[in-house]
């Protein structure tokens, strides 16, 4: 039987409903560990064939790998692995799999809710009622019927949002240089330029990963080109937007709304206009898995562990090449 160890900040949050199933098939030889505990007792990693982890996983650099010479597989009960893998890790050919799809689901749900609410100009009417203590005139709204939703990047989350939008009578357009026409057709999405997404859409939702090529690639010019009463939603990473340029446009264009679940830095700096602009809806990175939703992450890793032990292909295995373009 393989020997395994849990290594993360909040064991119960992620593995609370999955550990009994996992422990049937893996010899868990120690209590759940954290970064702090392995600093005090680094030798505890020496027997690990597999590590079950999540948020709070240490960076798996050469010094870490030296402590875990038998390590064969890492099950990461969270989303992006960018902050924990290194070249030394990839050189060891250790298997790594992530619950990124499980973590994508609440982001999709959050995004869909905000797209539909924005097409009704819900936040505008909310603020008007609060400000006037009376009902304002029901101005023209796009609504879902016949409106245009723009998606920037069709990775895991963008594709799932596109799939969800199929049930509504709206047009979906998208920018993603890596998506073929055949894939777009299957998603019922019209591919176009980034400029056209911003110019044509009633709501633009960002789902692009934060990599060198995408840092700051959403400019003030993109946002200023948006339709009257348009809405920008960002649940990806704050760094993909040139924040100061966005702020300047939002100050000038009171008709535009920005729903920002992510910023750069996060949270915004003290006294940032993002805190006070009436046309900015700022939430503290809540779109991803929270509270009970985190149990799904651990259960995904329990399922993946079962496939690994049975010698079946892994569903959420990540390669070095894939990690470069993932969020």
């Amino acid at each position: 039987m393989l020997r395994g160890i849990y290594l993360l900040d909040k064991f119960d949050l992620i593995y609370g409903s999955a550990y009994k199933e996992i422990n049937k098939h893996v010899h868990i030889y120690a209590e759940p560990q954290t970064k702090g505990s392995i600093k005090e007792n680094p030798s505890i990693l020496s027997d690990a064939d597999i590590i079950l982890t999540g948020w709070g996983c240490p960076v798996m650099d050469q010094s870490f790998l030296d402590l875990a010479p038998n390590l064969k597989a890492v099950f990461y009960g969270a989303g992006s692995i960018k902050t924990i893998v290194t070249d030394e890790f990839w050189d060891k050919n250790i298997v790594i799999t992530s619950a990124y799809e499980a973590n994508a689901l609440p982001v999709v749900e959050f995004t869909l809710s905000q797209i539909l609410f924005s097409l009704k100009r819900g936040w505008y009417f909310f603020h008007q009622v609060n400000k006037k203590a009376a009902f304002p005139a029901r101005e023209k709204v796009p609504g879902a019927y016949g409106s245009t939703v723009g998606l920037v990047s069709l990775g895991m989350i963008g594709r799932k949002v596109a799939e969800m939008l199929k049930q509504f009578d709206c047009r979906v357009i998208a920018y993603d240089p890596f998506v073929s026409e055949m894939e777009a057709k299957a998603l019922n999405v019209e591919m176009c330029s980034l400029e056209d997404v911003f110019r044509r859409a009633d709501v633009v939702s960002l789902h692009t990963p934060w990599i060198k090529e995408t840092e700051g690639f959403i400019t003030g010019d993109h946002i200023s080109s948006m339709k009257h009463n348009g809405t920008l939603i960002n649940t990806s990473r704050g760094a993909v937007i040139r924040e100061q340029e966005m702020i300047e446009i939002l100050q000038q264009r009171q008709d535009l709304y920005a729903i920002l679940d992510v910023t750069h830095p996060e949270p915004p700096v003290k006294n940032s206009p993002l805190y006070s602009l009436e046309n900015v809806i700022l939430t503290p990175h809540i779109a991803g898995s929270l509270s009970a939703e985190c149990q799904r992450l651990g259960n995904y890793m329990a399922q993946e562990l079962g496939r690994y032990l049975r010698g079946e292909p892994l569903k959420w295995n990540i390669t070095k090449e894939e990690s470069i373009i993932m969020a």
Side-chain angles (χ1 to χ4, degrees):
M1 182 178 283
L2 288 178
R3 296 169 66 83
I5 195 167
Y6 294 100
L7 173 54
L8 68 164
D9 281 343
K10 297 179 179 179
F11 166 76
D12 287 333
L13 182 68
I14 295 177
Y15 291 102
S17 63
Y19 78 93
K20 288 183 180 178
E21 181 63 26
I22 291 169
N23 292 9
K24 289 179 186 176
H25 308 291
V26 176
H27 174 50
I28 302 296
Y29 62 87
E31 292 297 310
Q33 302 295 306
T34 65
K35 281 183 187 178
S37 68
I38 63 168
K39 279 185 179 179
E40 295 176 4
N41 184 17
S43 64
I44 202 166
L45 294 174
S46 62
D47 289 335
D49 296 307
I50 67 168
I51 291 176
L52 296 128
T53 184
W55 295 306
C57 178
V59 176
M60 292 182 284
D61 55 16
Q62 191 60 55
S63 60
F64 178 90
L65 296 169
D66 287 343
L67 297 172
N70 300 315
L71 185 60
K72 300 174 181 65
V74 174
F75 297 84
Y76 187 61
S80 173
I81 64 169
K82 282 187 182 294
T83 59
I84 64 168
V85 294
T86 62
D87 287 339
E88 293 90 350
F89 177 87
W90 294 119
D91 290 344
K92 292 280 188 180
N93 293 317
I94 298 167
V95 171
I96 186 166
T97 184
S98 161
Y100 62 90
E101 182 180 271
N103 199 44
L105 296 176
V107 182
V108 173
E109 294 163 356
F110 179 94
T111 301
L112 182 64
S113 75
Q114 294 309 300
I115 288 173
L116 296 175
F117 196 57
S118 296
L119 289 172
K120 280 287 192 179
R121 297 192 68 208
W123 287 115
Y124 164 79
F125 287 114
F126 169 80
H127 282 136
Q128 290 300 304
V129 170
N130 271 7
K131 192 161 61 172
K132 298 177 180 179
F135 279 11
R138 290 188 297 178
E139 299 180 19
K140 184 178 180 181
V141 303
Y145 185 79
S147 61
T148 300
V149 176
L151 305 177
V152 179
S153 293
L154 293 175
M156 173 69 72
I157 295 172
R159 287 174 189 243
K160 287 185 177 294
V161 171
E163 288 283 357
M164 294 289 281
L165 287 170
K166 284 181 178 180
Q167 64 191 297
F168 304 101
D169 293 316
C170 59
R171 179 185 301 106
V172 180
I173 62 176
Y175 167 76
D176 190 320
F178 299 102
V179 173
S180 69
E181 286 298 328
M182 185 177 296
E183 291 173 309
K185 186 175 181 181
L187 290 168
N188 197 30
V189 170
E190 176 192 344
M191 304 306 296
C192 57
S193 69
L194 183 61
E195 290 71 23
D196 275 352
V197 167
F198 277 87
R199 183 177 57 82
R200 293 172 52 191
D202 296 288
V203 175
V204 176
S205 187
L206 307 183
H207 302 287
T208 192
W210 176 14
I211 56 178
K212 182 180 178 181
E213 291 77 11
T214 63
E215 188 166 327
F217 90 132
I218 304 300
T219 68
D221 286 342
H222 289 122
I223 298 167
S224 67
S225 73
M226 292 180 70
K227 294 165 74 169
H228 186 70
N229 293 336
T231 301
L232 173 67
I233 301 171
N234 190 11
T235 57
S236 59
R237 291 292 184 268
V240 304
I241 299 177
R242 297 185 190 179
E243 189 171 279
Q244 187 54 43
E245 293 182 16
M246 174 183 66
I247 289 171
E248 290 171 4
I249 298 303
L250 292 172
Q251 289 170 330
Q252 298 163 18
R253 293 273 310 271
Q254 295 296 306
D255 63 293
L256 296 180
Y257 263 74
I259 299 172
L260 308 175
D261 190 51
V262 288
T263 58
H264 185 68
E266 195 172 286
V269 297
K270 187 177 180 180
N271 299 322
S272 168
L274 294 177
Y275 290 118
S276 56
L277 279 169
E278 188 175 291
N279 54 341
V280 171
I281 307 300
L282 196 60
T283 51
H285 206 144
I286 60 170
S289 298
L290 296 175
S291 303
E293 294 170 327
C294 297
Q295 296 294 302
R296 184 192 280 135
L297 307 177
N299 285 313
Y300 265 50
M301 290 300 90
Q303 295 167 24
E304 194 78 315
L305 175 63
R307 285 184 279 270
Y308 179 78
L309 295 174
R310 293 189 297 270
E312 298 172 3
L314 298 181
K315 195 169 182 179
W316 301 294
N317 180 56
I318 300 173
T319 65
K320 181 178 182 180
E321 292 71 27
E322 289 168 338
S323 72
I324 293 171
I325 60 171
M326 292 177 72

